Amino acid sequence: MLPYPQIDPVAIALGPLKIHWYGLMYLVGIGGAWWLASRRLERFDATWTKDKLSDLVFWVAMGVILGGRLGYVFFYDFAAYIAEPAKILRVWEGGMSFHGGLIGVMLATWWFGKRNGKSFFELMDFIAPLVPIGLGAGRIGNFINAELWGKATDVPWAMVFPTDPEQLARHPSQLYQFALEGVALFTILWFYSRKPRPTMAVSGMFAACYGVFRFIVEFVRVPDAQLGYLAWGWLTMGQILCLPMILGGIGLIAYAYKRQPVQGAV
């Protein structure tokens, strides 16, 4: 068993002002995405300025935050938030959903594309390889917060999390997700998008790979207490939400290669 590294969730405290590591991870994700996007901007559209790119990143970030919060409300704890609507605003108490954030990003991308003469999938193919930076940073934030841990296990790298009332040795599932949704997904998408691909293919690869990675980790991750397992003693809400991503991603890739010739990589 490995010792859990005791890291204060508060990175900086200035009197009553407290800056949490989890919040800083959002800045890392957004800043890293902007930096990498700026390196790929000329291949995407040489007429775009850094200001236009900044606008795109801003609206995508708003989609992540608003969509992630509302997605958690609707997918994971709707009854509690209906009973006390003010809880929706208390984001410091936690509660963000990747799938809700993805919907938010898709809506923001569609809106931005309509205003700037780009199709939805042109922008999504450009954005997709950048997303794992934020996903990986977010999982490190979960690990520092000692939240979203895994099932009890006796593997040599198990950890006892300080927030676990049972104090059991558990899978550090946050680190599994960091490795898969962050490092592995970024590597796959970055190299896949470096070669010419038809429009939709990169988006499809993102959806399919994320869906598979998340579906796998859910087998060792403890589901939200208010939901538990939805069927068969193992099926979780996260897995249900990933199934359309896996099928849709595979369908997008197949359709992309069938409907059009390969275009320039973004």
Side-chain angles (χ1 to χ4, degrees):
M1 185 174 69
L2 296 178
Y4 173 80
Q6 296 289 340
I7 304 173
D8 190 340
V10 178
I12 302 171
L14 301 173
L17 176 63
K18 295 182 178 180
I19 301 175
H20 290 72
W21 282 109
Y22 190 75
L24 291 177
M25 291 301 102
Y26 273 85
L27 295 180
V28 169
I30 294 169
W34 183 91
W35 180 73
L36 283 176
S38 66
R39 294 185 59 190
R40 306 170 78 235
L41 186 59
E42 187 172 345
R43 282 188 294 156
F44 173 64
D45 190 330
T47 67
W48 270 33
T49 64
K50 293 291 181 67
D51 287 340
K52 182 170 287 190
L53 174 62
S54 296
D55 289 343
L56 172 62
V57 172
F58 171 80
W59 288 110
V60 167
M62 291 299 100
V64 169
I65 295 169
L66 295 176
R69 184 59 172 169
L70 292 176
Y72 184 83
V73 170
F74 284 100
F75 296 147
Y76 290 95
D77 208 3
F78 186 68
Y81 287 98
I82 287 297
E84 189 180 351
K87 286 182 64 177
I88 296 175
L89 302 178
R90 300 206 291 265
V91 294
W92 58 88
E93 295 179 356
M96 296 288 282
S97 161
F98 162 78
H99 296 91
L102 177 61
I103 293 172
V105 167
M106 292 169 66
L107 291 174
T109 300
W110 173 81
W111 177 83
F112 192 85
K114 293 286 284 186
R115 293 172 60 91
N116 290 275
K118 291 291 184 182
S119 73
F120 172 75
F121 279 109
E122 280 183 295
L123 286 176
M124 288 299 292
D125 285 353
F126 177 59
I127 293 168
L130 313 174
V131 175
I133 302 170
L135 293 176
R139 295 312 179 190
I140 294 297
N142 294 145
F143 182 73
I144 293 173
N145 283 351
E147 61 188 2
L148 305 183
W149 18 259
K151 295 179 180 179
T153 182
D154 58 358
V155 297
W157 55 88
M159 294 181 182
V160 177
F161 293 92
T163 52
D164 178 12
E166 298 180 83
Q167 289 296 283
L168 299 174
R170 297 182 178 276
H171 284 285
S173 55
Q174 315 97 323
L175 300 184
Y176 301 168
Q177 291 188 267
F178 165 74
L180 291 173
E181 300 168 11
V183 178
L185 186 59
F186 173 80
T187 302
I188 291 169
L189 292 175
W190 189 258
F191 284 100
Y192 181 72
S193 64
R194 287 176 65 87
K195 294 184 178 181
R197 309 293 178 186
T199 303
M200 299 186 196
V202 176
S203 299
M205 185 65 71
F206 168 83
C209 288
Y210 176 89
V212 169
F213 291 156
R214 175 69 180 271
F215 196 94
I216 291 171
V217 174
E218 289 283 317
F219 283 112
V220 297
R221 174 176 154 176
V222 174
D224 290 60
Q226 70 275 10
L227 288 180
Y229 294 106
L230 303 183
W232 307 306
W234 59 266
L235 185 67
T236 67
M237 176 61 78
Q239 289 173 320
I240 289 175
L241 294 173
C242 281
L243 284 174
M245 290 188 67
I246 297 170
L247 298 175
I250 294 171
L252 279 177
I253 294 170
Y255 183 65
Y257 280 97
K258 182 179 179 180
R259 71 184 287 269
Q260 67 183 74
V262 173
Q263 297 180 352
V266 298

